[in-house]
Amino acid sequence: ALCITMFIWSVWSVVLLLTSLVAAKDGDVRAGCSTAVNDLVYIVDGSWSVGVVDFDKTKQWLINITSQFDISSHYTQVAVIQYSDTPRLEIPLGKHQGGTELIRAIQSIAYLGGNTQTGRAIRFAVNHVFYSSQRASQVKNRLAVVVTDGKSQDDVEDACMEARAQGITIFAVGVGNEITTSELISIANKPSFTYVLYAEDYTTIDRIRDSMEQRLCEESVCPTRILVASRDEKGFELLVGMNIQTKAKSIPGSLIKCCSCFVILLNFFTREIFPEGLPPSYVFVATLRLKGSSSKLTFDLWRVLSKDKEIQAAVTLRGKDKTVTFTTTSITEKEQRVIFKTAKPATLYDGKWHQLKLLVRPHQVASFLDDQLIHAATLEPVELIYINGETQVAKMTGTDITVPIDIQKLRLYCDPHQSERETACEIYSVVRPIHCNIHNSHILCIAASYYCFCPQGKNGKPGPPGLPGKKVSLPL
């Protein structure tokens, strides 16, 4: 397994090197999780409760989740701390400038043994390891992953507060049934459902590999947040990021008191919208209405183009054949496309408000209309996207001609689980309240979301779509 991992990592490093050389020649740059500029520090429990065999499994897990990053002085640098009674710096930040070299270094770490002083280890990471970084002013993300299988024998809260005060993001990984949930929550950043992970034991720790990889990647390429209900979600509020206030006009939305816009002109430099590229998994959501000619045309609802106008990612609507097409990159071909064609997309073109959602994962894409699954299809491995071109909305395919459409929401969530929470509640035909009470001439829904998230403008008036606002109930 080690030889295979080292081979794959070596091949990937060569691919990234060639990509960089090509980019330097033609003026375009690829970006994504692997090219994120991170200082990543693993703080690993090496106490007696772990044991030699399980400690070896931990080391392999570290190798597996680190393999998504390009290890170099330009991108991600990794350090490893093993701790028991005292912390021991096994790998300093920046010592190893290649994946193969880092693998060997992690594999050579000897098991320590001892008690569990987690707080002391975190403080050591803050004061000595992160502090020693030779590129502190260039690093965009300072990440720590704490792996432990038991309750700490010292205080962790003060050390973690100090870490967060210095801009360090902490993930807490609890292994086994001796862990204390409240302590993991104290260690990790908030919200805990994002920054705390659990493994049943060290034998099954690789089951949370995908989750750990995705969350590290989200932290690396998704610095912004979208206000959703009572919490924030990592992602890109495209209507705000593309300055909708100056490029569209407000119109009534899908529900009473909801706000929308009529798109006139919408394009922006990709580097300013997705400065670190796209995450490996994401949820694309658009609430829109196609009327008149827009319901019959073929156009890209959203597309990311390279400097040479090659598609890096796109959602294409084809009114003539009533289909939705998703286009993305490919490591073997120029691009790959998935066409969704069933009875459902036909309703997208009926002149009414609808929510279109695409759940994109590394090996699969699924499409939904008004929260109902249309189809799921397999994807081949993708290439990082070029970020020196433009990101555009509502453009005729193959041209820069803008298609006039009504749009209320245009978002890209980095957490794939947001697909389950994004329930198209702003679409009137979708809302089926389980239990509602009538109060002050308004319907107040208890067990189902029956709200439109309406942006707040000046003097209590509705603001432009996509801006933070408040929930409003629907009048009878």
Side-chain angles (χ1 to χ4, degrees):
L2 173 59
C3 293
I4 294 174
T5 303
M6 292 176 68
F7 173 74
I8 293 173
W9 209 338
S10 298
V11 170
W12 179 239
S13 298
V14 171
V15 170
L16 283 171
L17 176 60
L18 293 175
T19 299
S20 299
L21 292 175
V22 172
K25 184 177 180 180
D26 64 15
D28 217 338
V29 177
R30 290 192 186 273
C33 291
S34 59
T35 60
V37 184
N38 299 324
D39 275 352
L40 173 58
V41 178
Y42 294 111
I43 305 170
V44 184
D45 190 344
S47 62
W48 292 127
S49 59
V50 178
V52 176
V53 174
D54 286 341
F55 187 72
D56 285 342
K57 293 173 182 174
T58 303
K59 293 190 295 183
Q60 185 58 49
W61 185 73
L62 297 184
I63 291 170
N64 291 343
I65 62 175
T66 308
S67 63
Q68 69 176 320
F69 296 110
D70 178 22
I71 306 303
S72 72
S73 58
H74 298 293
Y75 301 124
T76 293
Q77 294 189 151
V78 173
V80 179
I81 299 169
Q82 182 186 182
Y83 72 93
S84 54
D85 293 280
T86 58
R88 185 170 73 188
L89 181 59
E90 305 286 2
I91 301 175
L93 267 175
K95 180 177 181 180
H96 301 292
Q97 298 300 324
T100 302
E101 187 181 339
L102 179 62
I103 287 176
R104 292 196 181 100
I106 294 176
Q107 286 291 336
S108 67
I109 297 174
Y111 172 58
L112 193 58
N115 294 306
T116 310
Q117 300 278 331
T118 308
R120 188 174 183 181
I122 295 171
R123 187 172 287 106
F124 176 80
V126 173
N127 296 334
H128 298 282
V129 182
F130 283 106
Y131 182 79
S132 68
S133 177
Q134 299 298 309
R135 50 174 201 167
S137 60
Q138 291 80 39
V139 170
K140 296 183 178 179
N141 307 290
R142 309 172 82 198
L143 311 174
V145 178
V146 178
V147 184
T148 182
D149 73 344
K151 186 177 183 344
S152 178
Q153 293 168 308
D154 66 346
D155 177 68
V156 298
E157 290 193 23
D158 289 344
C160 294
M161 288 178 63
E162 183 181 348
R164 283 187 278 276
Q166 295 192 26
I168 298 170
T169 299
I170 305 179
F171 293 86
V173 179
V175 184
N177 55 16
E178 297 299 321
I179 56 175
T180 304
T181 300
S182 59
E183 183 173 275
L184 293 178
I185 293 174
S186 297
I187 292 173
N189 277 52
K190 291 179 173 53
S192 59
F193 62 77
T194 296
Y195 296 99
V196 177
L197 293 86
Y198 300 93
E200 185 178 347
D201 51 43
Y202 286 101
T203 303
T204 60
I205 192 172
D206 213 44
R207 293 179 184 174
I208 62 170
R209 171 183 172 181
D210 289 347
S211 295
M212 187 76 257
E213 287 179 350
Q214 174 67 21
R215 294 179 192 185
L216 283 172
C217 190
E218 288 175 19
E219 205 66 34
S220 301
V221 306
C222 303
T224 57
R225 291 186 177 274
I226 300 172
L227 183 60
V228 180
S230 59
R231 66 182 186 280
D232 291 346
E233 289 287 346
K234 279 189 171 293
F236 303 90
E237 182 68 88
L238 298 180
L239 296 184
V240 174
M242 299 178 76
N243 199 15
I244 188 64
Q245 297 93 324
T246 62
K247 300 181 180 181
K249 62 181 181 180
S250 295
I251 61 172
S254 61
L255 295 175
I256 299 172
K257 294 189 179 180
C258 288
C259 310
S260 185
C261 61
F262 175 72
V263 172
I264 302 172
L265 175 65
L266 209 52
N267 60 281
F268 223 82
F269 292 119
T270 299
R271 186 181 285 278
E272 298 183 20
I273 304 298
F274 306 112
E276 305 299 331
L278 294 173
S281 297
Y282 59 88
V283 183
F284 172 85
V285 181
T287 300
L288 72 162
R289 179 173 59 185
L290 304 176
K291 300 190 303 180
S293 62
S294 65
S295 65
K296 301 177 178 64
L297 297 174
T298 295
F299 68 95
D300 298 323
L301 174 61
W302 166 71
R303 69 187 183 197
V304 180
L305 301 176
S306 68
K307 287 184 68 177
D308 296 330
K309 303 297 183 180
E310 294 181 354
I311 291 180
Q312 307 300 292
V315 177
T316 305
L317 307 184
R318 301 178 184 274
K320 184 177 180 180
D321 54 11
K322 305 295 189 289
T323 63
V324 175
T325 301
F326 173 70
T327 306
T328 186
T329 58
S330 169
I331 63 172
T332 58
E333 305 290 339
K334 183 178 179 180
E335 62 186 34
Q336 55 182 318
R337 296 182 179 181
V338 176
I339 299 176
F340 299 103
K341 185 175 183 179
T342 66
K344 270 289 180 183
T347 62
L348 178 63
Y349 302 89
D350 62 5
K352 300 178 182 178
W353 285 101
H354 293 284
Q355 185 199 78
L356 176 65
K357 179 173 66 179
L358 273 71
L359 171 59
V360 182
R361 292 184 178 274
H363 304 292
Q364 186 186 68
V365 57
S367 59
F368 300 79
L369 187 66
D370 298 337
D371 207 30
Q372 297 299 309
L373 176 67
I374 299 173
H375 185 62
T378 302
L379 289 176
E380 297 298 322
V382 301
E383 180 65 278
L384 304 182
I385 68 166
Y386 284 119
I387 60 169
N388 278 17
E390 288 189 324
T391 294
Q392 301 176 332
V393 170
K395 295 288 185 178
M396 289 279 288
T397 301
T399 77
D400 282 331
I401 299 173
T402 301
V403 175
I405 62 171
D406 299 344
I407 190 162
Q408 180 171 296
K409 181 189 295 183
L410 192 64
R411 293 173 175 171
L412 193 150
Y413 295 102
C414 293
D415 182 1
H417 294 292
Q418 182 61 24
S419 177
E420 303 164 12
R421 300 187 283 265
E422 189 73 35
T423 57
C425 65
E426 71 269 31
I427 305 302
Y428 190 87
S429 61
V430 174
V431 180
R432 293 180 176 86
I434 297 174
H435 175 65
C436 293
N437 292 329
I438 298 177
H439 178 67
N440 292 338
S441 299
H442 285 71
I443 300 175
L444 304 179
C445 299
I446 308 302
S449 296
Y450 200 81
Y451 293 97
C452 174
F453 196 69
C454 185
Q456 278 291 100
K458 295 181 179 180
N459 302 319
K461 296 181 180 179
L467 292 180
K470 65 178 182 180
K471 288 180 177 179
V472 293
S473 56
L474 302 179
L476 288 169

